[in-house]
Amino acid sequence: MVKMNLKEHDMFEPPEDFVKQANMNDPDIYQRAEEDFEGFWEKLAENVDWYNRWDNVLEWNPPYSKWFVGGRLNASYNCLDRHIEKRSDKIAILWEGETGDVQTYTYLELLDATSRFANALKGLGVKKGDIVSIYLPMIPEAVIAMLACARIGAPHSVVFSAFSADALAQRINDPASKYLITCDGYYRRGNVIEHKGKTDEGLDKAESIEKVVVVKHAGNDVTMQDGRDVWWHDIVESANISCEPEVMDSEDMLFLMYTSGTTGKPKGVVHTTGGYMVGTTVTANWVFDLKEDDIYWCTADVGWITGHSYIVYGPLSNGATVLMYEGAPDYPDKDKIWEIVEKHSVTIFYTAPTAVRMFMKWGSQWPGMHDLSTIRLIGSVGEPINPKAWLWYHETIGNGRCPLVDTWWQTETGMALLTPLPGITSLKPGSVTRPFPGVKVAVLDNAGNEVPRGEGGFLALLAPWPSMIRTVYKNEQRYLDTYWSKWGTGKYLSGDGARQDEDGYFWILGRVDDVIKVAGHRLGTMELESALVSHPSVAEAAVVGMSDEIKGEVIFCYVTPKLGAIESEELKDELSKYIVKMIGPIARPEGIIFADELPKTRSGKIMRRILKAIADGKEVGDITTLQNPEVVEILEKKVKEEVAH
Ligand code: WTA
């Protein structure tokens, strides 16, 4: 294969030998999807196994969609049972711990473990429709727990393991879950993280929980509460190894996933079974080009949507071998990721731009220490990838010959919506290319009209897609207000800015609302602000995402202290710790400055746009509408000092 040295404005054509073997290499697919929207999705639904075929492909009463209406299926059946005949001894999960130990589960073993745990959950009283919270790190039991819930029709709600005790409590209290699955501890950079202790602290504020299942993973000492806490290994030991999957309606809830929005409270995104399974199964197959002998590695955490769709449901539904890694990318050294790629002959590698920029900063010598020649496709997700990082990734990790799929999507979309198809799409460094076939995307202005090519606007979806959010759990109004109120109920507001170039390629410009992506992690500025103002020394706070070369954005806080509070470095330190306690280490602020006043409009609204410009060291633009324009200069000076600090 010819190695190309791409430059920023070059196009990367899909290599011929890749095209030949690609799962999807027919360029007419776009046209066919266009001509017969429902027929297209109906055909794709045949990639999933159903107990009962659907009566209708789609019922669309904007903004409510139902897909494959009347169809019946089970997600865990699709990820496990249906592979047994052909793949019972194939490895489904290849797990590597931080200490280097490896655990594997074949499809048969994963089915058995899932069935046992599903029965154990039933034994605890879990019934179809009950919501089960899962608070587990990157260990195989996280996947087993999710699939076991799916098996018995109990929607799971996974909470990212690095979220704090308070954040856990909030995510348990909203759906009032009665069941929680956690572990004793896990390894991070050679230390044992005391996870059960943190869980207990959260449970002090979450009274709905009746039963807690604890995985013994790190072997650290824990306190088990009598009558409430049980060990995973104890309850599975006596559980039956066979568990009939529950026959679920296509529109039954598969899971809840809390995500940050533009208010202080995260929202529970509801995903249902049929459409989600169709969407993730097909995108995993076409976008990652999964083949029987691939070793597929998505470095996301199961606690986020990427882990749900592209570690668990999509790849396993395709019968793939999925690699999971417990630890940090730079421990014990900065070649850890590449050591794992070489050790397990990884063929598909999917990660976030922050990770790519970090690898780039560490230098090519680290990947250079290992044989990465097994890699045949690389992917990116979670934030915009700048052309420079794209080119480095393509050249250094993809050896200049692998297709790079930059996939745009959201917790709410369930599956990748803007993405190359690697056997068809010519790539442009930094662009997410075009919509997946059957997906209708546009860049709109404030009034809902399409903007001319080359101009920026709001990224919108103009038609439903199978794995779309169905509602916000117990908060219909928020569903309507957040996504469907800007232009009416037929046009979904994504919250991202975008631009289409002269070739129709899409370029994502980042969030245009109060959501920020810090190192690919989704956080709400309002959530951070409400954490800050709950501190006794804080009168008012405004949080913005400050641009960062590696992490995309970092958290920058403007704090007005209460009268009598002392503006000291100690207080800054305390506030930083406080925010971490309230949310988790991913929310640690990069900078905090004290501001006697925040820039406000005459009606008293804080102008975050100005605060962001100040944090980024940019021109603030027009400030004549402010009631207190004089604060801008004061803040600019303070930010300069803080950033230099
Ligand atoms: C951003 C993650 C640019 C975007 C799957 C979106 C991206 C938010 C890309 C959703 C990409 C995701 N290029 N930006 N390829 N993928 N985003 O819910 O701002 O954690 O709205 O889902 O991530 O974040 P979420």
Side-chain angles (χ1 to χ4, degrees):
M1 211 177 313
V2 200
K3 195 169 153 177
M4 309 205 240
N5 280 313
L6 280 196
K7 283 187 269 336
E8 179 154 352
H9 298 289
D10 288 346
M11 278 229 190
F12 176 79
E13 305 296 340
E16 231 171 84
D17 44 357
F18 190 96
V19 175
K20 259 191 241 141
Q21 59 82 62
N23 291 347
M24 175 40 70
N25 54 14
D26 173 8
D28 294 341
I29 192 73
Y30 290 96
Q31 186 61 29
R32 286 210 302 279
E34 183 93 10
E35 282 161 8
D36 181 10
F37 179 76
E38 288 193 16
F40 169 77
W41 286 116
E42 172 149 53
K43 184 133 199 308
L44 292 187
E46 283 163 10
N47 291 295
V48 165
D49 279 13
W50 301 79
Y51 299 115
N52 280 87
R53 205 180 157 91
W54 51 93
D55 306 314
N56 289 326
V57 175
L58 170 66
E59 279 173 18
W60 177 224
N61 298 308
Y64 301 101
S65 78
K66 289 185 179 169
W67 283 86
F68 312 113
V69 186
R72 298 194 189 279
L73 76 164
N74 182 284
S76 98
Y77 178 90
N78 274 282
C79 293
L80 302 168
D81 308 59
R82 69 160 166 168
H83 303 308
I84 294 308
E85 208 176 303
K86 255 176 69 190
R87 306 187 176 104
S88 67
D89 294 333
K90 176 173 175 175
I91 292 176
I93 292 184
L94 173 54
W95 178 86
E96 170 133 354
E98 196 192 75
T99 51
D101 46 335
V102 172
Q103 278 180 32
T104 57
Y105 284 81
T106 63
Y107 270 93
L108 184 60
E109 287 165 345
L110 190 61
L111 171 63
D112 290 349
T114 300
S115 301
R116 266 186 200 275
F117 189 60
N119 282 326
L121 285 177
K122 281 188 188 170
L124 292 180
V126 180
K127 293 196 181 51
K128 181 174 174 177
D130 285 343
I131 287 168
V132 177
S133 295
I134 300 177
Y135 190 42
L136 287 174
M138 288 293 284
I139 56 176
E141 286 81 357
V143 179
I144 296 168
M146 289 163 75
L147 293 173
C149 288
R151 197 163 189 85
I152 61 175
H156 52 71
S157 170
V158 182
V159 180
F160 178 44
S161 58
F163 270 135
S164 70
D166 284 84
L168 169 69
Q170 190 176 35
R171 286 160 181 77
I172 289 173
N173 290 335
D174 190 70
S177 24
K178 291 192 281 188
Y179 307 95
L180 176 70
I181 304 164
T182 185
C183 73
D184 54 355
Y186 57 96
Y187 296 93
R188 267 273 134 156
R189 296 199 166 84
N191 300 315
V192 171
I193 307 284
E194 306 273 346
H195 195 60
K196 177 64 164 58
K198 188 169 70 165
T199 307
D200 290 339
E201 212 186 298
L203 289 179
D204 287 344
K205 298 178 185 164
E207 280 164 12
S208 57
I209 293 289
E210 291 171 8
K211 292 281 175 200
V212 178
V213 182
V214 187
V215 178
K216 199 182 194 78
H217 177 65
N220 49 313
D221 282 340
V222 300
T223 317
M224 298 289 276
Q225 193 182 97
D226 248 5
R228 186 192 72 181
D229 301 354
V230 292
W231 287 108
W232 172 296
H233 56 264
D234 284 341
I235 57 169
V236 295
E237 199 180 33
S238 53
N240 197 307
I241 200 167
S242 105
C243 173
E244 268 308 301
E246 197 71 38
V247 176
M248 303 299 286
D249 188 90
S250 181
E251 281 301 324
D252 277 337
M253 196 198 314
L254 176 59
F255 66 85
L256 249 185
M257 169 104 248
Y258 280 86
T259 191
S260 296
T262 52
T263 73
K265 243 183 93 192
K267 55 194 170 206
V269 170
V270 172
H271 280 293
T272 57
T273 313
Y276 179 81
M277 286 309 293
V278 171
T280 53
T281 302
V282 174
T283 46
N285 190 288
W286 290 4
V287 175
F288 301 121
D289 195 50
L290 284 171
K291 295 286 191 311
E292 208 51 67
D293 52 1
D294 273 316
I295 309 290
Y296 165 88
W297 186 10
C298 162
T299 67
D301 191 285
V302 283
W304 302 93
I305 193 68
T306 306
H308 283 50
S309 299
Y310 297 121
I311 292 177
V312 184
Y313 292 106
L316 294 180
S317 173
N318 278 283
T321 297
V322 177
L323 191 142
M324 279 176 86
Y325 174 54
E326 175 185 25
D330 57 351
Y331 182 85
D333 230 326
K334 295 187 172 65
D335 66 331
K336 186 68 198 182
I337 296 288
W338 318 118
E339 180 195 307
I340 296 173
V341 166
E342 178 174 12
K343 178 171 168 190
H344 298 293
S345 305
V346 168
T347 58
I348 300 172
F349 183 72
Y350 187 39
T351 197
T354 290
V356 173
R357 289 187 290 258
M358 206 169 59
F359 299 145
M360 191 165 86
K361 185 175 153 210
W362 292 343
S364 305
Q365 69 274 21
W366 299 103
M369 288 163 63
H370 297 279
D371 176 8
L372 309 183
S373 63
T374 48
I375 295 184
R376 65 181 196 91
L377 183 135
I378 51 180
S380 173
V381 61
E383 359 145 31
I385 182 164
N386 47 310
K388 195 170 157 209
W390 194 106
L391 288 164
W392 182 90
Y393 189 26
H394 186 258
E395 183 65 34
T396 313
I397 308 306
N399 198 18
R401 65 185 160 78
C402 300
L404 192 173
V405 290
D406 179 7
T407 61
W408 176 89
W409 57 294
Q410 309 179 302
T411 303
E412 294 87 340
T413 74
M415 67 185 230
L417 293 186
L418 280 164
T419 173
L421 292 178
I424 300 176
T425 317
S426 308
L427 309 175
K428 291 189 190 190
S431 165
V432 291
T433 73
R434 33 192 312 201
F436 190 81
V439 172
K440 299 200 171 75
V441 185
V443 181
L444 305 181
D445 64 15
N446 255 320
N449 301 312
E450 252 187 85
V451 304
R453 291 210 171 156
E455 281 180 26
F458 299 95
L459 187 70
L461 296 158
L462 306 184
W465 62 99
S467 61
M468 68 190 277
I469 175 177
R470 295 305 194 264
T471 188
V472 172
Y473 191 64
K474 289 198 206 146
N475 201 340
E476 206 64 50
Q477 198 55 46
R478 196 159 172 201
Y479 174 67
L480 296 171
D481 293 347
T482 310
Y483 310 105
W484 308 100
S485 63
K486 191 171 175 69
W487 309 293
T489 53
K491 294 173 182 170
Y492 170 93
L493 174 73
S494 71
D496 277 298
R499 164 175 81 74
Q500 242 184 314
D501 67 17
E502 57 288 359
D503 299 325
Y505 274 53
F506 285 84
W507 298 76
I508 306 293
L509 305 171
R511 300 288 306 198
V512 290
D513 55 8
D514 294 322
V515 168
I516 52 177
K517 294 301 294 265
V518 178
H521 299 123
R522 180 163 165 178
L523 291 166
T525 53
M526 299 292 215
E527 219 176 314
L528 300 162
E529 286 168 13
S530 64
L532 275 173
V533 296
S534 72
H535 187 278
S537 301
V538 177
E540 196 168 42
V543 174
V544 297
M546 177 167 86
S547 305
D548 182 85
E549 221 180 294
I550 304 285
K551 295 181 175 173
E553 282 180 303
V554 291
I555 296 165
F556 198 85
C557 313
Y558 297 84
V559 171
T560 307
K562 276 200 181 137
L563 219 59
I566 298 166
E567 296 185 8
S568 59
E569 286 306 312
E570 288 71 39
L571 180 56
K572 282 187 187 175
D573 219 38
E574 190 181 317
L575 292 176
S576 175
K577 288 197 181 113
Y578 185 72
I579 225 174
V580 170
K581 182 183 170 297
M582 295 295 281
I583 297 170
I586 54 169
R588 181 171 289 122
E590 187 71 19
I592 299 178
I593 63 162
F594 295 118
D596 297 337
E597 262 188 272
L598 295 169
K600 287 182 183 165
T601 59
R602 291 201 181 90
S603 58
K605 214 178 127 228
I606 299 175
M607 291 289 283
R608 288 190 181 70
R609 175 185 64 77
I610 289 178
L611 290 172
K612 177 161 169 55
I614 296 175
D616 286 341
K618 288 200 178 128
E619 282 297 316
V620 294
D622 183 16
I623 54 171
T624 51
T625 55
L626 293 182
Q627 54 162 291
N628 50 357
E630 67 288 351
V631 303
V632 169
E633 207 176 310
I634 301 170
L635 292 180
E636 278 173 336
K637 198 162 153 259
K638 283 199 177 180
V639 169
K640 265 201 201 109
E641 282 165 16
E642 172 74 15
V643 173
H645 196 73

